[in-house]
Amino acid sequence: MYKTLRSLLLCASLGALPFAAAQAAEGPTLRIATEGAYPPFNYYTADGQLAGFDIEIGQALCQRMQAKCSLVAQDWDGIIPGLLGGKYDVVIASMFITEERKQKVAFSNPYQKSAMTFVVSKDSELKDFSPAAMAGKTIGAQGATTQADYLMAMFPESDVRLYPTQDAVNLDMASGRLDAQVGDMIPMLDWTLKSEDGSCCRLAGEPISDPKYSGEGVGIALRKEDEQLRQQLNEALAAIIADGTYKAINDKFFSVNLLTLER
């Protein structure tokens, strides 16, 4: 039976055995959690398989680390508790690296740059997205996210509506039940340009890049005690960036370089 990567790392630490030797002998499994509801980063295909940018990055890291990938779908609001509870080893789900989250978990080096954006309908006359100008407006975001934190803190006079998934936010935006929404810039760009329902809408205002909310980038979350695993992930991430694997995955999904947010 495969041992988890966490248990192998513990054995390696206790026995002064390097991870590479342990994993060659034992065949470790890296248990990766993702949401499965955040296309094109992570989603389900028609035949029920997890797919997307996050999934392929995780698989590339497993290949580089000579580990077996095991994918676990987890609702967003329970994804950090599940990690801390030992349900999986890492979270690869386009999670912003923020100071609040760093109090609970550790992160790899960033594998994406991060920014948020407002989205409005194409015929919207909204141009000023200051808290004063948005007073009384209805703004949506996915709950338990940095976008939700941003709206709740910065727009107390707006009608902020939080949803369980990004798809639910998009549905109300496309149906005209929201004056605006706030989301991660890249998936919002993808939604407005590539999807039928997203054709209703456009990105608006300046990118929101306050590090308090957009963080230091997007990273892989793991438990703080798993420092050896964090180092292994950083080495594997650097390797797939250097050998072009990252770019090939990036270009499969996006016309924007996620490491720089440049076209």
Side-chain angles (χ1 to χ4, degrees):
M1 180 182 294
Y2 284 106
K3 293 184 178 180
T4 67
L5 199 56
R6 174 175 165 78
S7 64
L8 286 173
L9 289 173
L10 178 59
C11 291
S13 175
L14 293 175
L17 181 66
F19 171 65
Q23 55 120 23
E26 302 289 345
T29 295
L30 182 64
R31 299 173 300 168
I32 300 174
T34 197
E35 186 184 11
Y38 200 56
F41 290 95
N42 54 80
Y43 57 91
Y44 280 101
T45 61
D47 60 355
Q49 301 299 308
L50 284 166
F53 175 80
D54 288 328
I55 308 303
E56 295 199 17
I57 290 295
Q59 290 168 336
L61 293 173
C62 284
Q63 183 174 8
R64 175 62 61 170
M65 297 167 67
Q66 299 182 5
K68 177 184 176 182
C69 273
S70 174
L71 300 174
V72 180
Q74 172 65 56
D75 290 345
W76 183 258
D77 59 0
I79 209 162
I80 287 181
L83 174 66
L84 297 177
K87 290 178 63 178
Y88 29 82
D89 303 303
V90 299
V91 174
I92 306 182
S94 293
M95 183 178 287
F96 284 4
I97 304 169
T98 64
E99 288 301 320
E100 181 179 0
R101 287 175 178 152
K102 284 163 65 175
Q103 300 302 310
K104 299 178 181 178
V105 299
F107 283 96
S108 70
N109 293 336
Y111 70 99
Q112 301 175 41
K113 195 172 181 180
S114 55
M116 303 184 295
T117 185
F118 275 96
V119 178
V120 299
S121 64
K122 284 186 173 176
D123 59 0
S124 174
E125 297 182 359
L126 287 174
K127 295 180 181 179
D128 184 349
F129 295 93
S130 66
M134 295 298 287
K137 301 295 184 183
T138 302
I139 316 173
Q142 183 178 1
T145 63
T146 50
Q147 299 96 280
D149 293 342
Y150 172 74
L151 288 178
M152 296 299 290
M154 300 297 293
F155 294 84
E157 302 303 319
S158 298
D159 177 9
V160 175
R161 300 183 183 179
L162 303 182
Y163 298 78
T165 66
Q166 186 61 51
D167 283 345
V169 191
N170 293 348
L171 178 61
D172 266 14
M173 188 76 231
S175 300
R177 290 189 281 269
L178 295 172
D179 294 308
Q181 69 159 300
V182 172
D184 292 351
M185 191 171 77
I186 298 300
M188 291 298 93
L189 182 65
D190 190 79
W191 179 63
T192 57
L193 294 180
K194 296 182 180 179
S195 69
E196 183 176 349
D197 58 339
S199 64
C200 65
C201 302
R202 59 181 173 83
L203 273 57
E206 294 296 319
I208 303 163
S209 56
D210 183 341
K212 181 177 180 180
Y213 300 104
S214 62
E216 304 165 17
V218 171
I220 300 166
L222 65 161
R223 289 175 288 272
K224 289 185 176 183
E225 61 265 30
D226 292 339
E227 176 59 23
Q228 186 177 354
L229 175 55
R230 192 181 73 85
Q231 293 175 11
Q232 293 278 349
L233 288 166
N234 284 339
E235 291 171 4
L237 179 59
I240 67 170
I241 291 172
D243 70 10
T245 300
Y246 181 98
K247 185 177 187 303
I249 297 171
N250 184 110
D251 293 352
K252 177 178 177 180
F253 292 96
F254 307 105
S255 60
V256 174
N257 183 333
L258 296 193
L259 291 173
T260 63
L261 295 185
E262 295 176 352
R263 291 180 179 274

